[in-house]
Amino acid sequence: MIRTMVVDDDALVRLGLVDLLAQDPALTVVGEAADGLQAVELARRRRVDVALMDIRMPRLDGIAATRRLRELPDAPRVIALTTFDLDEYVYQALAAGADGFLLKDTPPAEIARAVHIVAGGQGMLHPAAARRLIDRYHRTGAPRSVSARSRTARLTPREADVLRELARGLSNAEIGAVLGMRESTVKAHVSRILSELGVGNRVQAALLARDAGLTDDLG
């Protein structure tokens, strides 16, 4: 059973998300929060596997709340929710540790599917929307680029190949198909990549790959 938390300052949005998640027998909603402070307090008291996190909220916004949640001993994974796919705050949430983002008008079945994917350790990197977001708000600067290249230089050539495909938004299965590898092998590579780069999730690894210039040839 995947334990979820819904965080949004709009009561009607919370109600809709709770009802949606309740339709999936593998998901259970263990709490609701109207702002980031409530979300952090709830996560301290209850085990939460995945939090659906609104970005713009009073008292403590979704960006700061995501950062605090990621610092907890048993940190939940976070999916940022936004009204617009190029919301400038979404990038900040991803950089703070969110495992991906969804538009609020995403079809119900896709939201539930996203929770399952993130709970399983993969990020929600929609290839088109995520690339536009990263390209718009994550321009490479010299100091950042040097640091990123130094970190990615620790990877083996095969791991660098996996990281490039990961940055395109591909799943483990899709990466395996492209590179001719078993999905289990890809998963092992991804785990080592995250550890070697010192990042918390696939989204942050993708951002680092962009900084290092590993994706320049991907268009």
Side-chain angles (χ1 to χ4, degrees):
M1 186 67 73
I2 300 172
R3 299 165 64 87
T4 63
M5 173 172 64
V6 175
V7 187
D8 198 298
D9 62 331
D10 187 321
L12 289 179
V13 172
R14 290 201 310 274
L15 178 62
L17 288 170
V18 169
D19 286 347
L20 183 160
L21 296 176
Q23 296 176 27
D24 189 322
L27 307 178
T28 181
V29 179
V30 297
E32 304 174 43
D35 58 51
L37 287 178
Q38 290 183 9
V40 174
E41 180 57 32
L42 191 153
R44 285 183 177 138
R45 292 186 283 107
R46 304 177 187 173
R47 184 173 67 80
V48 177
D49 299 313
V50 179
L52 290 175
M53 178 76 68
D54 187 22
I55 298 294
R56 305 182 188 187
M57 295 182 292
R59 298 210 301 166
L60 190 71
D61 64 29
I63 299 165
T66 295
R67 190 174 294 111
R68 293 193 189 182
L69 287 176
R70 298 303 298 170
E71 293 173 350
L72 296 178
D74 192 14
R77 297 185 180 278
V78 176
I79 298 175
L81 296 174
T82 181
T83 305
F84 305 103
D85 65 345
L86 283 182
D87 188 328
E88 62 181 299
Y89 297 107
V90 176
Y91 166 71
Q92 296 177 41
L94 297 178
D99 296 271
F101 71 94
L102 290 174
L103 301 183
K104 288 187 176 180
D105 61 358
T106 298
E110 286 301 304
I111 292 179
R113 176 175 172 270
V115 172
H116 281 276
I117 290 173
V118 168
Q122 299 196 51
M124 284 304 298
L125 275 173
H126 185 281
R131 180 173 296 179
R132 291 201 309 274
L133 184 72
I134 292 170
D135 285 344
R136 180 169 175 178
Y137 296 107
H138 202 65
R139 303 300 184 187
T140 300
R144 178 183 289 163
S145 178
V146 170
S147 173
R149 288 174 181 171
S150 174
R151 290 161 73 180
T152 56
R154 305 169 189 166
L155 304 178
T156 66
R158 199 55 166 167
E159 288 167 350
D161 290 340
V162 171
L163 179 58
R164 286 189 188 92
E165 301 306 322
L166 182 156
R168 291 177 57 201
L170 302 190
S171 67
N172 288 349
E174 292 168 335
I175 293 173
V178 170
L179 299 180
M181 302 165 61
R182 293 178 180 273
E183 185 175 354
S184 59
T185 302
V186 174
K187 184 176 181 180
H189 277 308
V190 170
S191 294
R192 185 179 182 283
I193 288 169
L194 298 184
S195 176
E196 195 64 33
L197 297 182
V199 296
N201 57 47
R202 297 165 70 98
V203 176
Q204 291 180 324
L207 297 179
L208 193 64
R210 289 268 167 174
D211 279 343
L214 292 182
T215 59
D216 290 349
D217 60 339
L218 298 180

